[in-house]
Amino acid sequence: MKIASETEMMAFGEQFAKDLKPPKIIELVGDVGAGKTTFVRGLAKGLGVKEPITSPSFTISKEYAFDGGILIHYDFYRLQDPGLMAGDLEESINDPQAIVVVEWADSVENILPDDRIKITLKYEDDGSREIEL
Ligand code: ADP
Ligand code: MG
């Protein structure tokens, strides 16, 4: 699926939130700038999160409450060893109220359930992004 702009990526995330069914664990795969966090912004909007979404790169995880649940956004970029965050992620995965989104999941691949949703985002030459589910 071709996503032509940042606005379209937001809209895709927003619609995705509305269609979301368990397992509510989403892995986002793609290079820096592919649009992973932009997708999460749309997802959050669709869920009804009121706060702005910022990249969790330095804190590794950020939580956003919305009516009926919590969105937990992880970014393990450049983390060889997730350390204590591995247990934190496990707890989030087991929380029935939580929608969990993970960027750069390489170091925690063994923790994520096999039946997670995996979305791959690719940068195209024309500036658009190609999305694969
Ligand atoms: P990532 O989290 O994958 O590193 P971000 O979502 O933080 O990526 O950044 C993507 C950047 O690319 C944003 O600055 C956004 O405005 C820009 N952009 C341009 N075209 C698109 C598109 N089609 N989809 C998503 N982002 C796009
Ligand atoms: Mg990001």
Side-chain angles (χ1 to χ4, degrees), residues 37-54:
T37 299
T38 304
F39 167 82
V40 179
R41 289 203 175 100
L43 185 81
K45 193 175 173 213
L47 293 171
V49 171
K50 302 281 182 271
E51 297 154 78
I53 304 297
T54 54

Side-chain angles (χ1 to χ4, degrees), residues 36-37 55 75 103:
K36 301 182 294 298
T37 299
S55 183
D75 187 336
E103 298 187 33

Side-chain angles (χ1 to χ4, degrees), residues 9-20 24-26 28 36-49 53 66 70-73 99-102 117 119:
M9 186 65 86
M10 289 276 299
F12 172 73
E14 204 176 333
Q15 189 56 47
F16 200 87
K18 308 228 152 105
D19 299 337
L20 191 59
K24 296 181 173 182
I25 315 293
I26 304 167
L28 299 179
K36 301 182 294 298
T37 299
T38 304
F39 167 82
V40 179
R41 289 203 175 100
L43 185 81
K45 193 175 173 213
L47 293 171
V49 171
I53 304 297
F66 61 89
I70 182 164
L71 170 65
I72 310 178
H73 182 198
I99 292 173
V100 180
V101 183
V102 187
I117 300 163
I119 303 177

Side-chain angles (χ1 to χ4, degrees), residues 2-10 28-41 55-57 73 75 103-104 121-123 126-131:
K2 187 186 166 101
I3 304 282
S5 66
E6 178 176 14
T7 312
E8 268 189 43
M9 186 65 86
M10 289 276 299
L28 299 179
V29 179
D31 291 338
V32 171
K36 301 182 294 298
T37 299
T38 304
F39 167 82
V40 179
R41 289 203 175 100
S55 183
S57 297
H73 182 198
D75 187 336
E103 298 187 33
W104 301 103
L121 301 89
K122 283 200 201 85
Y123 199 104
D126 62 2
S128 71
R129 305 296 192 272
E130 186 60 34
I131 282 190

